[in-house]
Amino acid sequence: EEDLEEYEALAAISTYNEHPEGKRSLREAEKAQREAEKAQRKAERKANAIKPALTSLQIYQRHVEEVLQVSAAAWDELSELHEMLRKEFDGLDAEERQQFERRAQRDSVRYERDVRRRKKRAALKAAQAADAGSVVDDVDVRKSSEAQFKVGEVEQSS
């Protein structure tokens, strides 16, 4: 086996990249990279998303999961378990049910508060961006008027 010099390896790679198979593999690699970046952006958006308000039934389900130490995946797999849970929740007396409804109401208030904060933050960012754009425009106007003033001085002194 012969070791290739660096320039020989680079020449071989460039020759391969010019070949249709090489071009296809480059396109596939670029596509895979774009998709990975897209998935990462999506995951970041999802992590920053506002969590929706939970219903009293969902809060009750989480309570039962904690008590029974059962994963949430088990509920999703069997619709029969979900239906049994719903019937059990409907059969709760008023006091027990009120506890979960109050928690659901607090969660709904939290969700509405988060939505208002997000909208307020977005409006503030938009206003700051608009202000930043107008400041840049003002600076450009000042610079151009100063340049015109200097040109006028030069013409008058000549």
Side-chain angles (χ1 to χ4, degrees), residues 6-155:
E6 184 177 352
Y7 73 92
E8 292 173 321
L10 293 175
I13 291 172
S14 68
T15 302
Y16 175 76
N17 288 339
E18 292 171 3
H19 189 272
E21 185 178 324
K23 289 179 182 180
R24 188 180 75 243
S25 67
L26 281 175
R27 283 194 308 270
E28 289 173 356
E30 290 171 353
K31 182 179 179 182
Q33 183 179 1
R34 285 192 308 269
E35 288 175 355
E37 291 170 354
K38 183 179 178 181
Q40 182 180 4
R41 287 191 306 269
K42 186 175 181 179
E44 289 172 359
R45 281 194 307 269
K46 187 175 181 179
N48 293 331
I50 297 173
K51 308 296 183 256
L54 298 175
T55 64
S56 54
L57 178 62
Q58 290 170 322
I59 293 173
Y60 179 71
Q61 179 179 345
R62 288 186 179 183
H63 170 74
V64 170
E65 288 171 3
E66 288 175 15
V67 170
L68 299 178
Q69 297 178 349
V70 177
S71 69
W75 296 107
D76 294 337
E77 291 175 5
L78 300 172
S79 60
E80 296 167 1
L81 285 177
H82 193 63
E83 189 60 35
M84 285 174 40
L85 183 72
R86 180 182 299 278
K87 286 180 183 176
E88 186 178 325
F89 179 72
D90 290 340
L92 290 177
D93 63 7
E95 273 183 39
E96 291 176 320
R97 190 175 177 131
Q98 187 178 17
Q99 167 191 353
F100 297 106
E101 289 174 353
R102 269 188 273 124
R103 287 171 59 187
Q105 181 63 32
R106 283 196 308 260
D107 197 44
S108 177
V109 168
R110 182 233 10 118
Y111 173 75
E112 292 170 3
R113 182 186 63 234
D114 289 350
V115 168
R116 282 194 309 271
R117 285 181 181 168
R118 174 76 51 97
K119 287 181 180 177
K120 188 175 180 180
R121 238 182 283 143
L124 183 61
K125 282 184 180 181
Q128 287 174 344
D131 289 344
S134 64
V135 168
V136 170
D137 294 340
D138 292 343
V139 170
D140 291 342
V141 169
R142 274 188 256 131
K143 284 182 180 178
S144 64
S145 63
E146 288 174 8
Q148 289 173 353
F149 180 72
K150 289 179 183 177
V151 168
E153 286 179 358
V154 172
E155 290 176 359

